[in-house]
């Protein structure tokens, strides 16, 4: 590109930026195809920008849609499932006549016949709740314990509703169209923080930025964003400290963990935020800092709802709207500074020296021993609110917003297209998750050392136990014993170790997947890969040490086959472990299931029972257990090329003179070698596929 063209581009780009900055305070169409600041761009980009500029009305002449709502128009950035999009969009959340009740479980016909019919009544948790949250709102959802705050948040975020029946309407609009899914523009910051403890704070945020911000944003900008967020949330001091584990008091403090979970979600600047108990675990100073940061975000145009338990007066006064829940209904919804006056009108005057939040919770709580009176009072207050002018304003606002979004949607020719920009590519997701899994293993030196010690120790122990076996009649039993021990040992410990890891990290995976951070397949492949590498390397250390100490078949080809078979067996064991781990709700259940399964596999593994005499009704075990096939491969590899075995002189037992006779005696066939390898490979793929399907179903189910 020559210098004059570069200058032209530069001046065109500067004028575009100036113009778009001027236009950021109106609702006119925005440039969707402009390259981002700091990114390289081509002539095509420039022409596209020029065309868009021409097609736009000059500054100031754009008609602003008549919304009828008098409020400042604030530019915000929009997020679509975790990506970062530089277009202006403000989100309004509407919910109308929401009812939630438990699903009635019907007994089966047989059970009903035996135990009798039982009429179960559904429990009603939310009763016709309506409301709205607009851009710029920082809303506190308060109420006594059991009032329905969490259920309301779950309905609005569409989380954890599996066992509940939900009726009513929840919509998100950007004043132009009704969006299909709240998850596309929102984030839910939950009370419990879950992290990979071996990462540092900065590494965690950078990983999240790489995974969740659009791939069109350069790495430098992502790093800048991370540094900004670190500063914004006062995390600079601990940026290079490990996050650690809350149960083992190493790592960052509880308050820093809380701020880190905010930082992770705010990286992508989502326009709609749900926060579950944002101040729990924080001291009053940190609570104020956090809520004032949310206040600032609201002023920038975010829409924010927080469920909160009895905030201090300072924190309370930072919210601008209040939703008071009681017995699944709404006792008040409106401006926070009008709440005291509203309750006073109903005859409930808050004492002057009392924090209004405490007063409302006291008024609406059901006191043990005085349930009847309290319930009556709550009913009266909720009935009063439903007939109040405030409730009518809410209903009118919902209808107006909904109608407006629909009308705009139907009439507008220029609805901003859904973004094409997406988060990290599948390859990036896979490599980033692989990096995180690897860090998790390699930053735990004690774990690595224990792996190394046990694999070397096992190799040396087995080597010493069967040291230098001569090729005679008694060594047949010893060598076969070693081969079977190897199969059993690797096949049982590997899945157990996998099961100790995966179920424990699933809550984090569910949360990240729900936030659209990565696909389940990328996580699954990365986790399987790292497990395969760690466990195969351990198995190879064991076989490498024991093989020559014992004096197994000296043929180098046979050694390589033994090593390859051990690696394949370990991969199969990992696949089985992964499948069982993702299919079990907890590590304990996975480990408990393994006990009978491995008992069965060992019994029919070929050592305790001649494979030719397996009862026909247990033949299926051969197709789910890799033990018999792997044992046969190892036997054939060991004995097929042994031409001479010494016979003991004074023995009355029949003598096996060569390896072929050994194989015949124990029911093994050299011709099965390839079939066995194929069977084990198919089993591995089968378990991997099952594991992949199960984790996909689980992650989808928990959405
Ligand atoms: N899945 C469910 N099945 C049965 N009952 C439920 C379910 N979820 C919630 N509830 C009941 O609904 C009521 C409201 O629960 P919710 O968790 O929404 O209250 P909350 O206001 O968030 O309480 P807290 O402040 O104690 O968390 C409670 O009585 C609770 O036991």
């Amino acid at each position: 590109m020559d210098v004059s063209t570069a200058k032209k581009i530069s001046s065109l780009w500067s004028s575009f930026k100036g113009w778009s900055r001027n236009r950021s305070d109106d609702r006119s169409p925005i440039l969707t195809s402009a390259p981002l600041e700091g990114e390289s761009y081509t002539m095509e980009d420039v022409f596209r920008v020029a065309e868009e500029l021409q097609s736009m009305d000059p500054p100031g002449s754009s008609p602003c849609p008549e919304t009828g709502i008098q409020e400042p128009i604030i530019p915000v950035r929009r997020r679509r499932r975790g990506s970062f999009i530089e277009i202006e969009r403000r989100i309004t959340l509407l919910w109308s006549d929401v009812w939630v009740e438990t699903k009635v479980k019907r007994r089966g016909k047989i059970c009903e016949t035996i135990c009798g019919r039982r009429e179960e009544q559904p429990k009603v948790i939310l009763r016709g709740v309506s409301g709205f949250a607009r851009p710029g709102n920082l809303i506190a959802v308060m109420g006594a314990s059991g009032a329905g705050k969490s259920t309301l948040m779950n309905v609005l975020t569409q989380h954890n509703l599996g066992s509940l029946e939900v009726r009513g309407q929840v919509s998100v609009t950007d004043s132009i169209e009704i969006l299909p899914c709240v998850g596309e523009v929102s984030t839910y910051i939950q009370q419990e923080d879950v992290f990979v403890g071996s990462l540092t704070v900065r590494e965690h945020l950078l990983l999240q930025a790489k995974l969740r911000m659009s791939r069109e944003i350069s790495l430098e900008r992502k790093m800048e964003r991370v540094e900004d967020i670190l500063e914004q949330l006062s995390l600079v001091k601990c940026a290079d400290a490990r996050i650690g584990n809350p149960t083992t008091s190493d790592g960052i403090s509880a308050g820093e963990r809380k701020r880190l979970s905010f930082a992770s979600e705010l990286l992508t600047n989502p326009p709609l935020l749900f926060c579950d108990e944002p101040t729990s675990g924080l001291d009053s100073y940190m609570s104020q800092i956090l809520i004032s940061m949310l206040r600032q975000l609201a002023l920038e145009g975010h829409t924010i709802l927080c469920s909160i338990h009895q905030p201090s007066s300072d924190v309370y006064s930072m919210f601008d709207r209040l939703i008071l829940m009681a017995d699944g209904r709404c006792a008040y919804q409106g401006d926070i500074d009008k709440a005291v006056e509203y309750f006073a009108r109903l005859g409930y005057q808050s004492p002057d020296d009392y924090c209004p939040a405490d007063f409302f919770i006291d008024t609406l709580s059901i006191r043990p021993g005085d349930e009847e009176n309290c319930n009556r009072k709550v009913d009266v207050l909720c009935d009063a609110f439903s007939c109040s002018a405030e409730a009518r304003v809410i209903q009118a606002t919902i209808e107006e917003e909904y109608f407006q979004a629909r009308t705009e949607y139907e009439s507008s020719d220029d609805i901003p297209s859904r973004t094409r920009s997406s988060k990290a590519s599948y390859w990036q997701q896979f490599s980033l998750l692989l990096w995180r899994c690897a860090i998790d293993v390699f930053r735990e030196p004690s774990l690595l050392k224990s792996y190394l010690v046990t694999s070397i120790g096992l190799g040396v122990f087995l080597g010493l136990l069967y040291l230098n076996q001569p090729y005679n009649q008694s060594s047949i039993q010893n060598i076969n014993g070693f081969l079977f021990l190897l199969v059993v040992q690797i096949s049982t410990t590997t899945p157990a170790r996998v099961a100790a890891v995966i179920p424990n990290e699933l809550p984090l995976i569910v949360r990240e997947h729900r936030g659209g951070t990565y696909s389940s397949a990328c996580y699954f492949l990365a986790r399987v890969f790292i497990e395969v590498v760690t466990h195969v390397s351990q198995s190879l250390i064991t076989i490498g040490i024991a093989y020559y100490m014992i004096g197994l078949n000296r043929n180098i080809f046979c050694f390589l086959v033994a090593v390859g078979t051990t690696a394949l067996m370990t991969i199969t064991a990992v696949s089985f472990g992964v499948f069982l781990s993702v299919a079990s709700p907890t590590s304990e259940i996975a480990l408990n299931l393994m006990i009978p399964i491995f008992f069965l596999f060992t019994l029919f593994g070929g050592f305790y029972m001649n494979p030719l005499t397996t009862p026909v009704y247990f033949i299926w075990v051969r197709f789910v257990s890799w033990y018999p096939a792997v044992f046969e491969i190892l036997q054939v590899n060991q004995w097929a090329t042994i031409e001479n075995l010494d016979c003991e002189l004074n023995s009355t037992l029949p003598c096996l003179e060569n390896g072929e006779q050994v194989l015949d005696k124990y029911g093994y066939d050299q011709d099965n070698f390839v079939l066995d390898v194929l069977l084990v490979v198919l089993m591995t793929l089968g378990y991997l596929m099952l594991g992949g399907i199960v984790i996909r179903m689980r992650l989808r189910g928990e959405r």
Side-chain angles (χ1 to χ4, degrees), residues 359-374:
F359 172 73
F360 296 140
I361 301 293
D362 280 357
T363 310
L364 297 170
S365 58
I366 311 291
R367 290 198 187 85
D370 192 20
E371 284 89 354
E372 208 175 308
N373 282 333
C374 293

Side-chain angles (χ1 to χ4, degrees), residues 446-462 489 493 497 534-535 538-539 541-543 545:
S446 48
L447 189 71
L448 264 190
K449 273 185 210 156
S450 76
Y451 281 168
L452 208 63
V453 168
T454 46
S455 43
I456 293 175
L458 185 70
V460 172
F461 172 76
L462 291 174
Q489 210 281 334
T493 53
R497 282 177 179 163
T534 25
H535 294 293
Q538 289 173 63
S539 307
I541 290 174
T542 305
I543 181 84
I545 293 171

Side-chain angles (χ1 to χ4, degrees), residues 375-391:
N375 279 327
R376 205 173 311 123
K377 181 167 70 177
V378 164
D379 278 348
V380 168
L381 285 170
C382 293
D383 287 345
F385 181 74
S386 62
C387 307
S388 68
E390 282 82 355

Side-chain angles (χ1 to χ4, degrees), residues 102 123-125 143-152 163-164 277 309:
T102 51
K123 178 178 177 183
V124 184
I125 301 172
S145 181
K149 304 180 292 293
S150 307
T151 309
L152 177 64
S163 61
L164 300 172
E277 299 291 339
H309 265 119

Side-chain angles (χ1 to χ4, degrees), residues 74-78 87-91 174 176-177 179 185 271 301 415-418:
I74 309 154
V76 290
R77 288 161 172 179
R78 189 188 78 154
I87 68 169
E88 296 168 9
R89 202 170 242 203
R90 305 173 339 130
I91 296 299
D174 59 357
I176 295 174
E177 58 174 326
L179 306 177
V185 286
I415 296 164
S417 58
R418 296 216 174 281

